[in-house]
Amino acid sequence: MLDEAAPGKTATQIARRIEEEILARGWPVGELLWSEPELRARSGVSRTVLREAVRLVEHHQVARMRRGPQGGLLVTAPDTGPSIWAMAAYLEFTGVRVADILRVRSLLEPMAAALAAERITEDGILALRKAFDRERPGYAGPMPEERLHARLSELSGNPVLELFVDALDSLTRRYVHLAGRTENLEIGRTSREAHLRHGRILDSVIAGRAAEAEIGVRDHLDGITAWLGRRGALGRPALGLSSTAEHLGSASLAVSVAARMYDDITGAGWPVGTSLGSEAELTDRYQVSRAVLRAAVRLLEQHAIASPRRGRIGGLVVTAPSRQASVDSAALYLAYKGMTTEHARVVREALELGAVRDVVAGGDMPGEPFHTGLAEASGNSVLCLFLGIVGDVMGEADPEEHTAAHHEVTEALRANDTGLALHRLRRHLNSAPRCWS
Ligand SMILES: [Zn+2]
Ligand SMILES: [Zn+2]
């Protein structure tokens, strides 16, 4: 893994160009686009750089290289895996708290349940019932081993909600595994309670009772928050937990080795700049071949979690994951899913209105520029990241003409008039859904 100077920058640019072109062609899943020689001729780069670019495209699940005489770049359908890993890495690196995760869940999931109730179909009912029947109460924590929350967000028909709820669900379950190591009796009880609650939510959604579904999910999440609060888990940063592997990415050996290495890094408090060991030490520690280790290292490198280095601090060195990687990865997935302005608007409205309430409760006035200032003043790193993603994929460069609207919201906040601030912000977001600053 240390045998090659990083061809990083050029490869990233080539990868982006390939992805943009696939997007411009309407993301034709299953189509074979260009052979390797064709791609080399078009991009004018060396075989090494091109292969690195293709690996990035493969990592984003946009396309994969099919080898052989009939080979070429085959367009693929992405899932939420790469985005979720990118977001989780960034959030855990920045020290996200359990309370922040649950707060954002309570802003988004009740809305997802209401939307699901409004548009549920026979197929949706089948999928929900199947997910519910597969739950095993008493498995490992206050929530049964289930995907019901993710199913509900899928049925909302809003890809932004789906992606965010999926990410929050993965992050929460990392905690639940930790909190769940105690008192089996209580775990069994709370888990059965959660299963019962799921049943009632399911009934509301299937019957199309949107308001009831919304309240049901809100109460259920309040219950989870209270449970974790009693265990003192809410203020804890999300570090040192295991079990990333089953939630993130596909199930290849390289992915599971990467996930174990990732857990070791978070477990050590994310020591940026320190070496995890040489290639020989790592193949030994993780009991894998050099090829598998290299594939795992590439994954960590693509998420800016660790990077192979030469020199004085050699070996695999821990790096700081970037916010931009999360934004880029999410933007690609949302483009694939056909996100509309309205999808982004409703999610953004829920998050920003939530931020206003948190700002009023916390007492810190937001700084400039307005929208990012509001997100930051909420003090919630999940809310900041999600709003950053929505703003980035939707936003206009120049919010100048909206200064007056921003000022009005700030005035209401200064006067401690929450209701008026919420009204003004909602009005602004409705009339200028793309305003972002
Ligand atoms: Zn639940
Ligand atoms: Zn604005």
Side-chain angles (χ1 to χ4, degrees):
M1 83 193 151
L2 306 174
D3 55 1
E4 201 171 275
K9 266 231 163 79
T10 326
T12 309
Q13 283 165 3
I14 305 280
R16 184 158 295 184
R17 236 183 285 155
I18 293 173
E19 289 167 358
E20 275 167 7
E21 189 153 345
I22 290 174
L23 201 56
R25 287 169 176 237
W27 209 306
V29 173
E31 236 171 75
L32 203 58
L33 289 183
W34 309 284
S35 67
E36 199 176 307
E38 257 167 17
L39 275 173
R40 262 217 331 272
R42 285 159 51 98
S43 58
V45 293
S46 72
R47 181 180 296 229
T48 313
V49 173
L50 182 68
R51 293 217 162 141
E52 185 61 31
V54 167
R55 273 201 284 267
L56 280 170
V57 173
E58 286 177 340
H59 168 66
H60 286 142
Q61 299 180 338
V62 177
R64 65 185 165 76
M65 188 54 87
R66 190 197 271 172
R67 314 264 165 221
Q70 297 301 313
L73 205 55
L74 184 73
V75 181
T76 51
D79 61 30
T80 52
S83 291
I84 289 182
W85 199 345
M87 288 191 269
Y90 174 73
L91 286 171
E92 295 192 347
F93 170 70
T94 56
V96 62
R97 294 169 312 152
V98 182
D100 296 338
I101 297 167
L102 287 163
R103 169 73 176 137
V104 177
R105 287 188 67 171
S106 76
L107 293 176
L108 298 181
E109 288 193 37
M111 174 168 73
L115 286 169
E118 279 163 14
R119 57 196 304 286
I120 190 91
T121 60
E122 295 262 343
D123 286 347
I125 292 171
L126 267 176
L128 272 185
R129 288 199 166 141
K130 218 164 158 189
F132 181 71
D133 289 343
R134 252 195 254 123
E135 291 186 353
R136 281 190 288 150
Y139 173 66
M143 292 181 300
E145 180 207 28
E146 41 91 4
R147 303 287 299 153
L148 195 77
H149 292 258
R151 274 288 108 73
L152 276 177
S153 70
E154 260 170 55
L155 292 171
S156 75
N158 183 324
V160 190
L161 271 178
E162 189 191 332
L163 175 62
F164 288 174
V165 170
D166 227 4
L168 294 167
D169 198 37
S170 291
L171 281 165
T172 312
R173 272 181 296 147
R174 280 166 66 75
Y175 283 95
V176 169
H177 278 274
L178 179 81
R181 274 190 211 126
T182 45
E183 299 151 60
N184 280 322
L185 246 165
E186 198 208 328
I187 290 159
R189 186 174 57 75
T190 47
S191 176
R192 276 190 298 278
E193 264 171 37
H195 187 64
L196 286 175
R197 275 200 179 274
H198 284 177
R200 287 201 290 275
I201 292 166
L202 201 80
D203 289 342
S204 311
V205 170
I206 290 173
R209 295 192 295 267
E212 199 180 278
E214 189 172 343
I215 293 165
V217 170
R218 183 165 298 135
D219 286 351
H220 172 44
L221 289 173
D222 284 350
I224 293 174
T225 307
W227 190 87
L228 285 167
R230 283 198 298 278
R231 313 188 97 66
L234 289 178
R236 218 183 280 167
L239 293 173
L241 311 175
S242 57
S243 84
T244 321
E246 72 237 53
H247 302 317
L248 304 171
S250 60
S252 80
L253 184 55
V255 169
S256 83
V257 172
R260 275 164 60 206
M261 294 170 89
Y262 172 75
D263 287 338
D264 289 344
I265 292 170
T266 56
W270 215 299
V272 172
T274 60
S275 174
L276 292 173
S278 67
E279 188 172 74
E281 283 164 347
L282 292 171
T283 47
D284 198 46
R285 190 182 309 154
Y286 295 98
Q287 292 292 301
V288 287
S289 69
R290 236 167 58 155
V292 170
L293 183 76
R294 286 183 179 186
V297 164
R298 266 201 300 278
L299 272 170
L300 295 178
E301 201 176 8
Q302 279 153 355
H303 286 301
I305 292 165
S307 172
R309 301 255 175 85
R310 294 165 187 262
R312 202 167 54 83
I313 305 175
L316 189 64
V317 175
V318 179
T319 52
S322 82
R323 187 180 158 286
Q324 198 56 41
S326 291
V327 175
D328 290 347
S329 171
L332 253 178
Y333 176 75
L334 292 172
Y336 166 74
K337 294 289 278 186
M339 180 196 72
T340 64
T341 309
E342 182 57 14
H343 289 145
R345 192 194 64 78
V346 294
V347 173
R348 184 179 167 193
E349 185 179 276
L351 293 172
E352 284 202 31
L353 295 179
V356 162
R357 289 193 202 90
D358 293 347
V359 165
V360 171
D364 265 351
M365 282 307 285
E368 292 290 322
F370 178 73
H371 292 283
T372 42
L374 182 63
E376 276 161 21
S378 76
N380 184 325
S381 58
V382 185
L383 207 143
C384 278
L385 176 66
F386 284 4
L387 274 173
I389 289 170
V390 180
D392 207 86
V393 292
M394 295 297 302
E396 283 168 345
D398 182 22
E400 276 301 300
E401 57 187 293
H402 304 296
T403 313
H406 296 164
H407 188 69
E408 277 178 10
V409 180
T410 312
E411 281 301 292
L413 278 174
R414 279 219 178 85
N416 241 334
D417 192 339
T418 316
L420 189 62
L422 291 171
H423 168 77
R424 287 176 171 172
L425 180 60
R426 186 180 284 122
R427 200 175 61 201
H428 167 52
L429 291 176
N430 260 305
S431 68
R434 301 184 86 96
C435 173
W436 179 251
S437 57

CSV table of all heavy atoms in Angstrom, one decimal, residues 105 109 135 142-144 146-149 152 169 194-195 197-198 201 217 220-221 224, ligand 1:
chain,number,residue,atom,x,y,z
A,105,ARG,N,-33.9,13.1,15.0
A,105,ARG,CA,-34.9,12.0,14.7
A,105,ARG,C,-36.3,12.5,15.0
A,105,ARG,O,-37.2,12.3,14.2
A,105,ARG,CB,-34.6,10.8,15.5
A,105,ARG,CG,-33.4,10.0,15.0
A,105,ARG,CD,-33.2,8.7,15.7
A,105,ARG,NE,-34.3,7.8,15.4
A,105,ARG,CZ,-34.4,6.5,15.7
A,105,ARG,NH1,-33.4,6.0,16.4
A,105,ARG,NH2,-35.4,5.8,15.3
A,109,GLU,N,-38.7,12.1,11.8
A,109,GLU,CA,-39.4,10.8,11.7
A,109,GLU,C,-41.0,11.0,11.9
A,109,GLU,O,-41.7,10.3,11.2
A,109,GLU,CB,-38.9,9.8,12.7
A,109,GLU,CG,-37.5,9.3,12.2
A,109,GLU,CD,-37.1,8.0,13.0
A,109,GLU,OE1,-37.9,7.2,13.3
A,109,GLU,OE2,-35.9,7.9,13.3
A,135,GLU,N,-39.4,-8.4,13.5
A,135,GLU,CA,-38.8,-7.9,14.7
A,135,GLU,C,-38.7,-9.0,15.8
A,135,GLU,O,-39.6,-9.8,15.9
A,135,GLU,CB,-39.6,-6.8,15.2
A,135,GLU,CG,-39.6,-5.5,14.4
A,135,GLU,CD,-40.3,-4.4,15.0
A,135,GLU,OE1,-40.9,-4.5,16.1
A,135,GLU,OE2,-40.2,-3.3,14.5
A,142,PRO,N,-33.4,-1.1,23.8
A,142,PRO,CA,-34.7,-0.6,23.9
A,142,PRO,C,-35.5,-0.7,22.6
A,142,PRO,O,-36.7,-0.7,22.6
A,142,PRO,CB,-34.5,0.8,24.4
A,142,PRO,CG,-33.2,1.2,23.8
A,142,PRO,CD,-32.4,-0.1,23.9
A,143,MET,N,-34.8,-0.8,21.5
A,143,MET,CA,-35.5,-1.0,20.3
A,143,MET,C,-35.3,-2.4,19.8
A,143,MET,O,-34.2,-2.9,19.9
A,143,MET,CB,-34.9,-0.1,19.2
A,143,MET,CG,-35.2,1.4,19.5
A,143,MET,SD,-34.6,2.4,18.2
A,143,MET,CE,-32.8,2.0,18.3
A,144,PRO,N,-36.3,-3.1,19.3
A,144,PRO,CA,-36.1,-4.4,18.7
A,144,PRO,C,-35.1,-4.4,17.6
A,144,PRO,O,-34.9,-3.3,17.0
A,144,PRO,CB,-37.5,-4.8,18.3
A,144,PRO,CG,-38.4,-3.8,18.8
A,144,PRO,CD,-37.6,-2.6,19.0
A,146,GLU,N,-34.7,-4.3,14.2
A,146,GLU,CA,-35.7,-4.0,13.2
A,146,GLU,C,-35.3,-2.9,12.2
A,146,GLU,O,-34.4,-2.2,12.4
A,146,GLU,CB,-37.0,-3.6,14.0
A,146,GLU,CG,-36.8,-2.6,15.1
A,146,GLU,CD,-36.8,-1.1,14.8
A,146,GLU,OE1,-37.1,-0.8,13.6
A,146,GLU,OE2,-36.5,-0.3,15.6
A,147,ARG,N,-36.1,-2.8,11.2
A,147,ARG,CA,-35.9,-1.8,10.2
A,147,ARG,C,-37.2,-1.0,10.0
A,147,ARG,O,-37.4,-0.4,9.0
A,147,ARG,CB,-35.4,-2.4,8.9
A,147,ARG,CG,-34.2,-3.3,9.0
A,147,ARG,CD,-32.9,-2.4,9.2
A,147,ARG,NE,-32.7,-1.5,8.1
A,147,ARG,CZ,-32.0,-0.4,8.2
A,147,ARG,NH1,-31.5,0.0,9.4
A,147,ARG,NH2,-31.8,0.3,7.2
A,148,LEU,N,-38.0,-1.0,11.0
A,148,LEU,CA,-39.3,-0.4,10.8
A,148,LEU,C,-39.2,1.1,10.6
A,148,LEU,O,-39.9,1.7,9.7
A,148,LEU,CB,-40.2,-0.7,12.0
A,148,LEU,CG,-41.7,-0.4,11.7
A,148,LEU,CD1,-42.3,-1.5,10.8
A,148,LEU,CD2,-42.5,-0.2,12.9
A,149,HIS,N,-38.3,1.7,11.3
A,149,HIS,CA,-38.2,3.2,11.1
A,149,HIS,C,-37.7,3.5,9.7
A,149,HIS,O,-38.2,4.4,9.1
A,149,HIS,CB,-37.2,3.7,12.2
A,149,HIS,CG,-37.7,3.7,13.6
A,149,HIS,ND1,-38.2,4.8,14.2
A,149,HIS,CD2,-37.8,2.6,14.4
A,149,HIS,CE1,-38.6,4.4,15.5
A,149,HIS,NE2,-38.4,3.1,15.6
A,152,LEU,N,-40.5,3.0,7.2
A,152,LEU,CA,-41.5,4.1,7.3
A,152,LEU,C,-40.9,5.3,6.5
A,152,LEU,O,-41.7,6.0,5.7
A,152,LEU,CB,-41.8,4.6,8.7
A,152,LEU,CG,-42.8,3.8,9.4
A,152,LEU,CD1,-42.9,4.3,10.9
A,152,LEU,CD2,-44.2,3.9,8.7
A,169,ASP,N,-30.8,6.2,12.1
A,169,ASP,CA,-31.1,4.9,12.6
A,169,ASP,C,-29.8,4.1,12.9
A,169,ASP,O,-29.6,3.5,14.0
A,169,ASP,CB,-32.0,4.2,11.6
A,169,ASP,CG,-32.7,3.0,12.1
A,169,ASP,OD1,-33.2,3.1,13.3
A,169,ASP,OD2,-32.9,2.0,11.4
A,194,ALA,N,-41.4,-1.4,23.0
A,194,ALA,CA,-41.2,-0.8,21.7
A,194,ALA,C,-41.9,-1.5,20.6
A,194,ALA,O,-42.5,-0.9,19.7
A,194,ALA,CB,-39.7,-0.7,21.4
A,195,HIS,N,-41.9,-2.8,20.7
A,195,HIS,CA,-42.5,-3.6,19.6
A,195,HIS,C,-44.0,-3.4,19.6
A,195,HIS,O,-44.6,-3.2,18.6
A,195,HIS,CB,-42.3,-5.1,19.9
A,195,HIS,CG,-42.7,-6.1,18.9
A,195,HIS,ND1,-42.2,-6.0,17.6
A,195,HIS,CD2,-43.7,-7.0,18.9
A,195,HIS,CE1,-42.9,-7.0,16.9
A,195,HIS,NE2,-43.8,-7.6,17.6
A,197,ARG,N,-45.5,-0.6,20.6
A,197,ARG,CA,-45.6,0.8,20.0
A,197,ARG,C,-45.5,0.7,18.5
A,197,ARG,O,-46.3,1.4,17.8
A,197,ARG,CB,-44.5,1.7,20.6
A,197,ARG,CG,-44.9,2.3,21.9
A,197,ARG,CD,-44.1,3.5,22.1
A,197,ARG,NE,-44.4,4.1,23.4
A,197,ARG,CZ,-45.4,5.0,23.6
A,197,ARG,NH1,-46.2,5.3,22.5
A,197,ARG,NH2,-45.7,5.5,24.7
A,198,HIS,N,-44.6,0.0,18.0
A,198,HIS,CA,-44.4,-0.2,16.6
A,198,HIS,C,-45.7,-0.7,16.0
A,198,HIS,O,-46.2,-0.2,14.9
A,198,HIS,CB,-43.3,-1.2,16.2
A,198,HIS,CG,-41.9,-0.6,16.4
A,198,HIS,ND1,-40.8,-1.3,16.2
A,198,HIS,CD2,-41.6,0.7,16.7
A,198,HIS,CE1,-39.8,-0.5,16.4
A,198,HIS,NE2,-40.2,0.7,16.7
A,201,ILE,N,-48.2,2.1,15.8
A,201,ILE,CA,-47.8,3.1,14.7
A,201,ILE,C,-48.2,2.5,13.3
A,201,ILE,O,-48.7,3.2,12.5
A,201,ILE,CB,-46.3,3.4,14.8
A,201,ILE,CG1,-46.0,4.2,16.0
A,201,ILE,CG2,-45.9,4.2,13.5
A,201,ILE,CD1,-44.5,4.3,16.4
A,217,VAL,N,-45.2,8.2,16.6
A,217,VAL,CA,-43.7,8.1,16.4
A,217,VAL,C,-43.0,9.1,17.4
A,217,VAL,O,-42.0,8.8,18.0
A,217,VAL,CB,-43.3,8.4,14.9
A,217,VAL,CG1,-41.8,8.6,14.8
A,217,VAL,CG2,-43.8,7.3,14.0
A,220,HIS,N,-43.0,7.6,20.8
A,220,HIS,CA,-42.0,6.5,20.8
A,220,HIS,C,-40.6,7.0,20.9
A,220,HIS,O,-39.8,6.5,21.7
A,220,HIS,CB,-42.3,5.7,19.5
A,220,HIS,CG,-41.3,4.6,19.3
A,220,HIS,ND1,-40.8,3.8,20.3
A,220,HIS,CD2,-40.6,4.2,18.2
A,220,HIS,CE1,-39.9,2.9,19.8
A,220,HIS,NE2,-39.8,3.2,18.5
A,221,LEU,N,-40.3,8.0,20.1
A,221,LEU,CA,-38.9,8.6,20.2
A,221,LEU,C,-38.6,9.3,21.5
A,221,LEU,O,-37.5,9.2,22.1
A,221,LEU,CB,-38.7,9.6,19.0
A,221,LEU,CG,-38.6,8.9,17.7
A,221,LEU,CD1,-38.6,10.0,16.6
A,221,LEU,CD2,-37.4,8.0,17.6
A,224,ILE,N,-37.6,6.6,23.9
A,224,ILE,CA,-36.2,6.1,23.7
A,224,ILE,C,-35.3,7.2,24.3
A,224,ILE,O,-34.3,6.8,25.0
A,224,ILE,CB,-35.9,6.0,22.2
A,224,ILE,CG1,-36.8,4.8,21.6
A,224,ILE,CG2,-34.4,5.7,21.9
A,224,ILE,CD1,-36.6,4.6,20.1
B,1,ZN,ZN,-38.8,1.9,17.2
